[in-house]
Amino acid sequence: MSQPPARLGFLPNLIFASRWLQLPLYLGLIFAQAVYVWQFGVELVHLIHQVFLNGNEEAQAAALAEGGPTAEVAIMLIVLGLIDVVMISNLLVMVIVGGYETFVSRLRLEGHPDQPEWLSHVNASVLKVKLAMAIIGISSIHLLKTFIEVGDLGMPGSKFTAQGVMWQTIIHIVFILSAVGIAYTDKLMTHSSTKREHATH
């Protein structure tokens, strides 16, 4: 027979209830998610405009004459921007759902057909690893956009410098090393806790 939950004193109950102060933060992130949906729509309109209005040979020749990107490069950059918005949106979902489930209150999605697979075993460590991987993905998209646009590096009017590209690459490598470090630390902690559990049995 299960024991009834112990009654908390006033101060412990107040401290535990303080977790609900995070609720406005998650509601704010939901609003940010709506902003990204709007941003995705704006970028999608730009893509349609680029494909059906600026994709002809005359517009492409004019863009090349003015030193701008070709229609193909412009479309590729817009598509990468759409992917970037989607990946940031996925990151927001992980923070909102995983963070609320971990730090505020249970969502009680057990048995729900749309329950995320990762939510069933989410904790603070798993959430940190997933967030680190999502940040690496977002950084990869930004780095790829830079590599596509860097063709005019060193030319007058170029918005990129060799030093800027180098630092962007270094920061991306630091993100990767940080994610590897977080995953390795989480693995060590999980292994240690498993050994302690086996030792107590």
Side-chain angles (χ1 to χ4, degrees):
M1 186 174 180
S2 60
Q3 294 290 334
R7 289 181 59 85
L8 297 176
F10 173 75
L11 187 57
N13 193 47
L14 177 64
I15 293 173
F16 186 57
S18 67
R19 71 193 190 280
W20 288 101
L21 291 175
Q22 294 190 31
L23 181 60
L25 307 181
Y26 292 110
L27 294 177
L29 289 180
I30 293 173
F31 177 76
Q33 177 94 323
V35 172
Y36 266 100
V37 172
W38 173 265
Q39 179 66 24
F40 186 90
V42 171
E43 293 293 330
L44 192 60
V45 170
H46 288 168
L47 176 63
I48 295 172
H49 183 272
Q50 182 68 34
V51 170
F52 294 104
L53 299 180
N54 291 343
N56 53 62
E57 294 182 0
E58 292 81 4
Q60 185 171 351
L64 287 172
E66 296 174 2
T70 63
E72 181 182 0
V73 171
I75 291 172
M76 191 183 306
L77 291 173
I78 295 174
V79 170
L80 287 175
L82 293 176
I83 296 173
D84 185 37
V85 170
V86 170
M87 295 188 73
I88 294 177
S89 182
N90 292 340
L91 178 62
L92 283 171
V93 169
M94 281 194 290
V95 173
I96 294 168
V97 178
Y100 185 90
E101 174 86 10
T102 304
F103 300 108
V104 180
S105 180
R106 296 290 183 187
L107 292 171
R108 307 192 186 285
L109 296 177
E110 293 80 5
H112 194 283
D114 294 329
Q115 179 187 6
E117 180 273 334
W118 52 269
L119 190 60
S120 59
H121 53 270
V122 71
N123 54 44
S125 298
V126 172
L127 192 59
K128 281 191 294 185
V129 173
K130 289 187 175 296
L131 292 180
M133 297 304 297
I135 291 173
I136 289 174
I138 294 169
S139 176
S140 299
I141 295 297
H142 281 266
L143 194 59
L144 181 58
K145 290 174 66 175
T146 299
F147 287 161
I148 291 173
E149 294 182 277
V150 83
D152 58 352
L153 183 65
M155 298 178 63
S158 174
K159 62 179 181 179
F160 295 102
T161 62
Q163 189 176 13
V165 174
M166 179 190 70
W167 276 111
Q168 190 172 352
T169 305
I170 291 173
I171 292 171
H172 179 69
I173 294 173
V174 169
F175 282 153
I176 295 175
L177 294 177
S178 299
V180 171
I182 292 172
Y184 182 70
T185 303
D186 179 60
K187 182 179 178 181
L188 288 179
M189 293 175 62
T190 304
H191 182 67
S192 299
S193 61
T194 304
K195 287 179 65 178
R196 283 197 301 267
E197 290 178 2
H198 286 314
T200 55
H201 293 311

